[in-house]
Amino acid sequence: MSTQSVLFDAPGPKARARNVLYTVGTLILFAIGLAILYLGFNRTLTERETGLFDPATWAVNPTGQWTADKWEPFLRPATWTDYVIPGLQNTLTAALTAAVLAIAFGLVFGIGRMSDHWWIRIPSGAIVEFFRGIPLLMLIFFTMALPIVAYQVFDIPTGTFQVTALVAVVAGLTLYNGSVLAEVFRAGVLAVPKGQSEAAQAVGMTKSQNMWLILIPQAITSMMPAIVAQLVVLLKDSALGYIVAFPELLRSFTLVATRESNVIPAAIICAIIYIVINLSLSRFAIWLERRNSRRGRPSAKPTAAGGAPVTVKTEPEPGPGAQAAPGEGAGKDDGPKDRRD
């Protein structure tokens, strides 16, 4: 019996016909959606004077978004060196800095939530739940408003210190994603078999040594795909820096679109860049998951001390008419017998 027949029944003629019908219907709806987008951005969907199936309706409109003049700015090196590449660098700088800090934040407070001391466990849980429940945009705005808060509460002059847009974005991303990662790390530690902790205690390791040397390395290894997936979310959330005038990738494309009046081409290219980066991280997470799933499989045959492979001898089981070898049954008498000289 094949695996496919075990998992589900093979579809019959009617089910296969329905599947074909659903597939064709989905493709038709997808093609209609693409046609509407094309005609809408081409400014011929509502402003056309010809029929829908007239070739003139589908021709590129010089005033639409698909004309070559709208895409030409992205063929200039100055557009990439002055806008796109600096914006991408700022995005990656904010994302990488926040990722490192969020992992550290998650480790500290995730372990704190499992502490035996209530004065560590309760505040750690409150901090994690607080920052996880606040929208990320509010955290960014609140960080930017720290000079005003310091003046209102502590009467500190507003010019004493300033919070840059980069610091606000990194702080918001760190607090929010670090709170999520704290739960990820906690779940990973709790998923480690209890026998690992018991074995560590049996050899005399303290709880701190058990946590940092035994549990955390295994938790990070097992939860690495979830960690990378959260880092993908962190990278996408860095686009919220646009609200506080942080010159990240989305803001750079917005400036290009405003100057060249090509909103749709700029949005498409910006989305492609984000998709490529996030897909790369996602593929990395899938690779890690597959690599971890292969752990524990034997990679080599056992060898003797000299390097020669060990040969395991197996003897066939005796048949029903076979006799035991001499001396095989010695010492297996059911009871004492009288021995006469």
Side-chain angles (χ1 to χ4, degrees):
M1 183 180 294
S2 63
T3 305
Q4 181 178 1
S5 61
V6 172
L7 294 178
F8 58 89
D9 295 333
K14 292 184 178 180
R16 287 196 297 267
R18 284 197 302 268
N19 292 338
V20 172
L21 181 62
Y22 295 155
T23 302
V24 173
T26 302
L27 292 176
I28 291 175
L29 291 176
F30 183 72
I32 292 175
L34 289 180
I36 292 174
L37 288 177
Y38 173 80
L39 294 177
F41 293 141
N42 199 40
R43 302 186 65 181
T44 54
L45 183 64
T46 57
E47 301 177 4
R48 57 187 172 87
E49 299 178 355
T50 57
L52 182 61
F53 298 101
D54 194 317
T57 303
W58 297 91
V60 176
N61 188 358
T63 62
Q65 293 291 326
W66 303 117
T67 181
D69 294 338
K70 302 293 184 181
W71 297 86
E72 187 272 336
F74 296 104
L75 299 178
R76 305 175 197 159
T79 302
W80 292 87
T81 56
D82 296 342
Y83 294 95
V84 179
I85 294 179
L88 180 60
Q89 290 176 345
N90 291 331
T91 294
L92 295 179
T93 299
L96 291 176
T97 305
V100 174
L101 295 178
I103 291 174
F105 183 96
L107 272 175
V108 171
F109 287 93
I111 295 172
R113 294 200 67 175
M114 296 180 291
S115 175
D116 294 335
H117 306 288
W118 66 267
W119 48 273
I120 297 178
R121 183 177 62 256
I122 294 179
S124 298
I127 291 173
V128 169
E129 295 298 333
F130 177 78
F131 287 115
R132 195 173 59 166
I134 293 181
L136 176 58
L137 192 58
M138 285 188 60
L139 293 175
I140 296 176
F141 275 135
F142 182 79
T143 307
M144 286 290 293
L146 279 180
I148 301 176
V149 174
Y151 174 74
Q152 295 288 339
V153 177
F154 302 104
D155 200 20
I156 299 177
T158 54
T160 304
F161 68 96
Q162 296 292 331
V163 178
T164 62
L166 176 61
V167 172
V169 173
V170 170
L173 293 174
T174 299
L175 295 175
Y176 177 76
N177 293 279
S179 300
V180 177
L181 288 176
E183 291 300 298
V184 172
F185 288 129
R186 187 171 73 95
V189 170
L190 294 178
V192 177
K194 293 183 179 180
Q196 301 285 335
S197 300
E198 295 173 356
Q201 295 175 2
V203 298
M205 297 179 67
T206 63
K207 185 175 181 180
S208 298
Q209 292 175 334
N210 178 29
M211 180 66 70
W212 290 103
L213 299 179
I214 305 297
L215 298 180
I216 290 180
Q218 296 186 62
I220 292 178
T221 301
S222 62
M223 302 303 292
M224 185 61 71
I227 295 171
V228 175
Q230 188 60 37
L231 296 182
V232 171
V233 176
L234 185 150
L235 177 64
K236 293 188 294 185
D237 288 343
S238 64
L240 291 175
Y242 170 82
I243 304 297
V244 292
F246 177 60
E248 44 81 40
L249 187 62
L250 180 60
R251 182 172 177 82
S252 298
F253 274 99
T254 303
L255 296 176
V256 174
T258 303
R259 189 187 66 179
E260 304 291 342
S261 299
N262 57 349
V263 177
I264 302 304
I268 291 175
I269 295 180
C270 181
I272 290 174
I273 294 176
Y274 272 112
I275 289 172
V276 169
I277 297 174
N278 292 329
L279 280 180
S280 301
L281 290 175
S282 299
R283 300 307 298 180
F284 178 67
I286 293 174
W287 176 81
L288 283 177
E289 186 176 2
R290 291 176 178 175
R291 178 175 176 270
N292 293 334
S293 65
R294 290 195 299 265
R295 289 195 172 189
R297 298 180 181 178
S299 58
K301 295 182 180 179
T303 57
V310 176
T311 303
V312 180
K313 296 183 179 180
T314 57
E315 297 181 356
E317 295 183 359
Q323 296 181 355
E328 242 182 31
K332 296 184 179 179
D333 294 339
D334 294 335
K337 295 183 179 180
D338 296 335
R339 180 177 293 178
R340 298 179 180 179
D341 295 331

